Amino acid sequence: MNIERLGWVAAAALAGGMIGMGFKAPGDKTGIVDVGKVFKDSDLAKKQTETLRGQVFARRSVMEFVQNNRNIKPEDATRLHDLIIKDPQSAADKADIERIENDAKAAETKARELQTLPKPTAADLSQLDDFTKRKDATGQLLEHWQKDFQDEIQQKENKMNDDTLEKVREAIQQVGRDQGYSIVFANNVAPYCPNDITTDASNKMNKK
């Protein structure tokens, strides 16, 4: 979801949700709010954004490592992927990550050594064949991870946006009730209303 468009996306829902805060009578008190600003300025949105960035970084880092160390054992690659995207990681997890990465780097070194042998033995050729199979397997893993990465991050982003927008809606409703408004519109729906509760809604949002 594009945060810049949240005011438009949520305007009708927010306005509809606000109706009925007070009794209907001539001269009802009407307000406006910049939904997008309340969203973007909220501590929750900032925290969610940082969390998402961390998740993106973790997934990219494991894919980059495996791409650069294609002779890693496929089972180690899978284990490394699961450990790196795990949050939080235990001391045992971090030790396992270090072991797997060191083994993968050692495998790369060994593969290069074997490839430069002038007269490889049957055992050397067998190990080279094993490394070739590992590369094929890790290539398939990388393709699978790339697809899952895009889908998973999009789902996480959508959920974070939806959760934050719901908190924004609740904060705006509470401010509207506390200040006696019968209805509060998103500012792009009623841009000329003088009663702007954006700052108060932001303050309420950041107390949640």
Side-chain angles (χ1 to χ4, degrees), residues 5-20:
R5 296 179 60 246
L6 281 174
W8 288 98
V9 171
L14 284 169
M18 300 298 174
I19 293 174

Side-chain angles (χ1 to χ4, degrees), residues 147-163:
K147 180 181 183 303
D148 283 354
F149 167 76
Q150 294 172 342
D151 293 342
E152 186 178 359
I153 291 300
Q154 186 61 57
Q155 289 172 7
K156 288 180 179 292
E157 182 180 14
N158 290 343
K159 185 178 187 307
M160 286 180 177
N161 281 336
D162 290 345
D163 290 347

